Structures are given as structure tokens and as C-alpha cells.
Amino acid sequence: MEENKNLKKFDIDSLPSFFNDLTKEQQSIYLEKLAMDNADLKKLAGEKMIKSKIAANDMDTDIEFLSRIETDNKVVSVKREYQTGSGNLVLNLKGGDKKFLIPILIVAGLIVIAILLSIFH
Amino acid sequence: MEEFINKGFNELFLAEMSKFDSRKYAYEIFFNADFERFSKISQFYFNENGSGAYNYMRNTYHSWKNNYVTPNGMSTYRIISSTCTTFTIDEKFVEAYTLLGNFIKNGFPKIIQLKQVNKTFEQIIEKINSFDLEKTSSYSKYIYSKVEIIEFQSYVKEVFKYYTKTIFENLNVDLELFKKVYTDINTAFLTTSFHTYLFNIEISIHNVVNKKFEIKKVFDLDHAISFKNLLSNKIAFFSIKQVSQISKANDTTKIDAILSENEIEKIVFRKVEIEKSNLGGTVDLNLKTNSGILKISFRILSPKEKLIITIRIIVFLIANILIANYFILKTNQLFIFVCGLFVSSFLILPILGDINKLTKDLFKTNKDGRK
């Protein structure tokens, strides 16, 4: 009776081919284990998906916030770690007001060139 | 032991199972066993070692347990061997499994190319086949009966072969995921590394897009192994537990692989967003796939970083034109020209890799744009 009740929960075609070769006792144990595992897997998949969604949401918020700081010309250097459903992700972002650096580089380059020119002429 | 039993097969296969030390475990069991188990251990201790050794054990038990005295080599051997005779099926399995894991550990290369996967797979199967439980375990005669040793040896071999085949077969599915990583992220700043769940083999996947790889359909091989092979009648209940555990682990990896594919899609979208926002930086992902753990790292250069690289190249070029013009054409001082070249090379040498990758990316963007 119990066995039949267990069997009803499953699609017979989806059971592995060896199932019919098992003894009645083995079939019963297998179905019980399968039911437990299926429930565990559904729960696990749900938990993993939630984790991924939370990570995605956090990341979107962070990137949006950092872009806003960048457009306000503030210096940004941030390291964030997100736990996703299937692993983890580390985002290391840098940006902001580097305008002071570019003129310095140009001026330094020009000075080098000017020194070289004055020496050689 | 509980923690070993309750964990998924992938986790165990990865690293933890190899940490299991049956001697240490048996030693701990001896001092923490329940009454029933300790009675069995004591009985064996008495039968095997005689009343003198037994009485000595009874008298010094608490001193040993409380670390007042450390048992000598002979007593330690007696403690372990007596406890080993009371191992449960689960414990016997973990012992056989660990020994086989350690036995094959050095039987294959740890870092391989994708084209070497089939050969490595065959090497592993060959090594599994040559495993001899009795010769590998120093306490085997205490842990297993004559019949059991054959049964457990063949059983763990089957489990290992089945799981090896499952993981290698799953690599076929992962090949598409690897291709997706390279085609979608599409930057020369991308680096990847991939380690299989089983045996922790590092497979180099960087040329997955350029070449066609086909991992052998391992279940089509002669002497294919199925779940049915794993269902031993003698240890029926235990077998079913293991079979369903492998099946569950395999299903879990499938869930992980689907989620990982989604993560890759999302990160491609975010890469574009970061580029648009003028930010720069690095992204590192560790993702579980069908057959292992994929590490993806890439760098995003901000427009300002690109500009700085360009300026350094321009300054380098101008400086060298001037040096060449003066020292070669006017004064013919080759040595000073070489010195000047050497000094100015510091402008670009530290960023040579970046220049190379940036150029590749620019060509890629142009090609894609034209398409």
C-alpha cells in the first residue's frame, strides 16, 4: 500500500531503468529517498535563486550609486563581494576625478620633450 | 563521520574526503564510544591481546583519555585495530573510498589541456582498476571480513568510476558554457581557470572558441557503468543511499550550471553598464558548473585609463624620434641612443600587456562594428 502511495508521486517513465530490477524493499527505500531528495533539491534551487537575486539587486544598486558618484567627479575605489546561488563575485571598481592626472601627464611629457629639445639643439 | 555522511558527494570528492584519517578516527571513537560499542571493542581487545593487555588497558583507560599518559606504539595499535572491528558500513565505505582517493591521487596529471581530457580520463579509470584495498589499508584485516574486502573494493571502484564518468561526461555540456564566456565577455583582458570537481584537475580552456573539442561519450564505452552496477545486494540499503546521493549531487550541479549561465549573462550586461559609467576595475567570478569550478577574471579600463596609456605611448614615440634624430642622424652616438631608448622604454614596458590587450580589443570592436 505504502509502496503504491509512493509510486503515485512519481512519473513511472522518469524512474531509472534499474528500478524494475530492484526488490520490493529496495524499490520502497529508493522511492522514499527520491522523494526526500526531490524535496531537498526544490528547496535548494529556491534558496540558490533567492541568493542570486539578492546579489544581482545589490550589485545593480552599487553600480548605479558608483556611477552617480563618478558623474559628480568624486574619487571612487570600492571592493564588493556578492554571494550568488552558484558561487561568488568580487567587484573592484575605481573611478572618479582623475582630471588632475591628465594635465600633469601632458605637462610632464611636454617638459621631457622640451628638455630633450633644449639639450640637443 | 556524521559531517562526511551528510555532505554532498561533490564537496566530499573535492577535498574533504582525503582529510579522513581512519586511525585518528578509530582512536577518537575508542575514547568516545557508547556503552554497546565499547563493549564490542573491549571484547575484541581481550580476545586478540589476552587478559594482561586487557587489564592494562582497563587500568590506564582514564589516564589515556585525560591525556595524563600517552599510549605507547603497541597499545595505540591495539586500540585502533580493536575499534576498527566495530566499523559500520558507512565507516567502512568512507575508509575504502578515502584509500582509493589517495591511491589514484598521483596517477594523473594535475594540469591539462582540453585535448588531453580523454587521455587523462582513461589514465584515471586504469588507476582505479588497479586498486587493491587489502594492500592499501594497514588495518584492512580488522575492518573488513574476507568477503567484505572484495565487496567493498569492487563497490568503491564502481562508485569512483561512475562518478568519474559522470563528471567527464558533464564536461561536454560545460564546453558550451566556456565558449559562451569567451564570446559574450569578449575582451582580451579576460582570464579563466577551470578545476574539475573530481580530482581537482585544472583544465586550460582558453582556446575553447578556436578549436573543436569533443570529450568522449564515456557512457558509450565498453563496460559502461550504470546505477544498476552500484546497487549491491549485500549492502542494499547503503547502496541506495549512495546512488541517490550521486544522483542528487549531479542534479545540484545542474542547478548550479543553470544559475552560472545566468550569472554570465548578467555580468556581460553589467560590464557594458560599467563601461558606460566611465568606471574601471576588475571583476572576479567563481562559478560552479556541471563538472567543476570556473574562475573568470576580467578588467575593465575606464576611458581615463585608456587615455593615460595612449599618452604614454605618444610621449614614448616622440622622445624616441627626437633621440634617434639627434644621436643617430646628427652625432652618430649609437651607445647614447641605446641608453636613451632603454630609459624611455620604462614609459611603456610596465604597461606592455595592457597595450597589447587594448589593441586586440580595439580591433575586435572594429570587426564587430563592421559586422
Side-chain angles (χ1 to χ4, degrees):
Chain A
M1 270 305 278
E2 184 63 28
E3 210 176 287
N4 290 337
K5 223 165 78 186
N6 275 335
L7 262 172
K8 274 178 195 166
K9 291 181 199 163
F10 298 97
D11 174 9
I12 302 293
D13 296 331
S14 70
L15 287 169
S17 53
F18 68 78
F19 183 79
N20 291 330
D21 301 327
L22 300 176
T23 62
K24 292 284 169 207
E25 192 196 1
Q26 284 177 331
Q27 283 186 351
S28 169
I29 296 168
Y30 185 80
L31 289 175
E32 213 170 286
K33 194 86 183 83
L34 197 66
M36 263 166 65
D37 287 350
N38 280 351
D40 283 353
L41 278 171
K42 271 182 196 164
K43 196 178 153 205
L44 190 75
E47 282 169 2
K48 280 175 180 278
M49 274 164 76
I50 289 169
K51 256 188 174 181
S52 283
K53 275 185 185 164
I54 292 171
N57 201 31
D58 288 353
M59 221 183 305
D60 284 340
T61 316
D62 286 345
I63 293 173
E64 201 190 318
F65 175 69
L66 292 170
S67 332
R68 215 180 307 140
I69 293 180
E70 161 68 30
T71 43
D72 291 346
N73 282 333
K74 284 174 185 159
V75 180
V76 182
S77 178
V78 174
K79 189 179 178 182
R80 291 261 196 278
E81 189 171 346
Y82 309 93
Q83 288 298 325
T84 68
S86 62
N88 73 324
L89 192 151
V90 180
L91 205 60
N92 211 333
L93 289 181
K94 281 176 188 167
D97 192 10
K98 281 193 186 136
K99 278 178 187 157
F100 65 94
L101 203 62
I102 296 160
I104 289 171
L105 262 174
I106 294 171
V107 170
L110 289 173
I111 290 169
V112 170
I113 293 166
I115 291 169
L116 286 169
L117 278 171
S118 66
I119 292 170
F120 303 138
H121 277 283
Chain B
M1 179 59 68
E2 255 324 278
E3 57 185 298
F4 281 111
I5 304 300
N6 289 334
K7 281 203 167 161
F9 259 47
N10 285 334
E11 288 167 84
L12 296 180
F13 261 109
L14 261 176
E16 295 192 39
M17 193 64 102
S18 59
K19 289 179 196 163
F20 179 74
D21 180 346
S22 58
R23 277 176 293 186
K24 203 174 152 201
Y25 177 76
Y27 189 84
E28 279 167 17
I29 288 286
F30 181 78
F31 292 108
N32 298 295
D34 57 30
F35 178 75
E36 196 188 337
R37 191 167 187 175
F38 190 76
S39 302
K40 283 182 192 163
I41 296 169
S42 303
Q43 188 61 51
F44 183 85
Y45 203 105
F46 178 82
N47 294 343
E48 188 77 0
N49 308 305
S51 57
Y54 175 77
N55 289 334
Y56 174 69
M57 182 272 283
R58 294 299 294 201
N59 293 334
T60 43
Y61 178 84
H62 289 286
S63 303
W64 286 340
K65 190 175 178 176
N66 297 318
N67 279 327
Y68 299 139
V69 187
T70 314
N72 62 24
M74 180 54 82
S75 300
T76 308
Y77 183 82
R78 284 168 178 165
I79 289 169
I80 295 169
S81 54
S82 307
T83 312
C84 281
T85 57
T86 64
F87 269 16
T88 62
I89 287 182
D90 278 351
E91 290 161 345
K92 285 174 185 175
F93 174 74
V94 174
E95 165 72 356
Y97 201 75
T98 312
L99 290 171
L100 176 52
N102 289 329
F103 174 74
I104 54 175
K105 212 156 59 179
N106 299 317
F108 55 89
K110 299 285 180 292
I111 303 171
I112 59 167
Q113 302 291 319
L114 257 176
K115 62 179 179 191
Q116 295 171 301
V117 165
N118 290 332
K119 197 182 152 204
T120 309
F121 166 74
E122 275 157 19
Q123 278 177 313
I124 294 171
I125 295 291
E126 215 171 281
K127 190 80 182 166
I128 294 171
N129 283 334
S130 66
F131 174 66
D132 187 325
L133 180 58
E134 195 170 5
K135 282 183 188 160
T136 322
S137 165
S138 40
Y139 290 92
S140 63
K141 63 174 176 178
Y142 299 109
I143 300 172
Y144 310 99
S145 67
K146 283 257 182 263
V147 183
E148 275 180 342
I149 204 151
I150 299 162
E151 202 174 292
F152 273 91
Q153 177 179 291
S154 102
Y155 188 69
V156 287
K157 275 185 184 181
E158 294 295 292
V159 172
F160 250 89
K161 278 196 265 182
Y162 185 81
Y163 209 61
T164 306
K165 289 187 172 197
T166 307
I167 294 290
F168 275 84
E169 184 91 34
N170 284 351
L171 252 176
N172 280 314
V173 189
D174 280 345
L175 285 179
E176 291 308 312
L177 188 74
F178 302 155
K179 281 181 195 164
K180 189 180 169 60
V181 169
Y182 275 93
T183 49
D184 290 3
I185 297 181
N186 197 25
T187 168
F189 287 96
L190 170 70
T191 55
T192 57
S193 82
F194 177 75
H195 288 82
T196 55
Y197 287 127
L198 190 52
F199 312 119
N200 203 22
I201 302 169
E202 185 178 343
I203 304 176
S204 175
I205 56 162
H206 66 276
N207 54 355
V208 69
V209 186
N210 307 327
K211 290 178 187 170
K212 197 174 181 297
F213 293 99
E214 207 171 315
I215 314 290
K216 210 175 263 180
K217 292 276 177 206
V218 289
F219 287 101
D220 297 340
L221 295 175
D222 291 342
H223 315 297
I225 296 166
S226 64
F227 273 141
K228 196 177 165 185
N229 294 81
L230 298 178
L231 290 163
S232 160
N233 280 331
K234 301 264 172 60
I235 39 180
F237 176 69
F238 179 74
S239 294
I240 286 169
K241 254 184 13 182
Q242 300 306 319
V243 169
S244 76
Q245 216 173 350
I246 295 177
S247 169
K248 189 179 169 185
N250 206 19
D251 287 341
T252 311
T253 59
K254 280 176 192 159
I255 296 170
D256 284 331
I258 293 168
L259 288 171
S260 293
E261 204 176 329
N262 288 340
E263 294 302 337
I264 291 161
E265 275 164 18
K266 279 183 211 159
I267 207 66
V268 171
F269 172 70
R270 287 196 183 94
K271 180 178 165 261
V272 177
E273 272 192 338
I274 294 169
E275 281 166 342
K276 274 185 196 163
S277 69
N278 291 342
L279 290 163
T282 55
V283 179
D284 299 288
L285 285 116
N286 284 315
L287 298 172
K288 289 179 188 169
T289 69
N290 287 291
S291 56
I293 291 174
L294 175 65
K295 287 185 183 174
I296 303 168
S297 299
F298 62 92
R299 190 172 158 202
I300 302 166
L301 289 181
S302 67
K304 282 156 197 171
E305 281 172 307
K306 286 177 190 169
L307 186 64
I308 291 167
I309 291 174
T310 315
I311 289 170
R312 284 173 77 156
I313 298 170
I314 292 169
V315 172
F316 172 78
L317 289 174
I318 294 172
N320 276 294
I321 289 167
L322 285 170
I323 295 169
N325 184 42
Y326 187 78
F327 289 109
I328 296 179
L329 299 177
K330 288 187 180 169
T331 60
N332 206 14
Q333 289 173 296
L334 264 174
F335 179 71
I336 299 178
F337 166 72
V338 173
C339 288
L341 202 68
F342 175 73
V343 172
S344 63
S345 68
F346 283 99
L347 268 171
I348 59 160
L349 274 182
I351 53 161
L352 208 58
D354 287 351
I355 295 170
N356 186 22
K357 287 170 186 168
L358 188 63
T359 319
K360 278 184 189 170
D361 275 4
L362 284 172
F363 276 114
K364 266 187 199 169
T365 320
N366 285 343
K367 262 189 199 173
D368 294 347
R370 257 181 266 144
K371 274 177 198 169

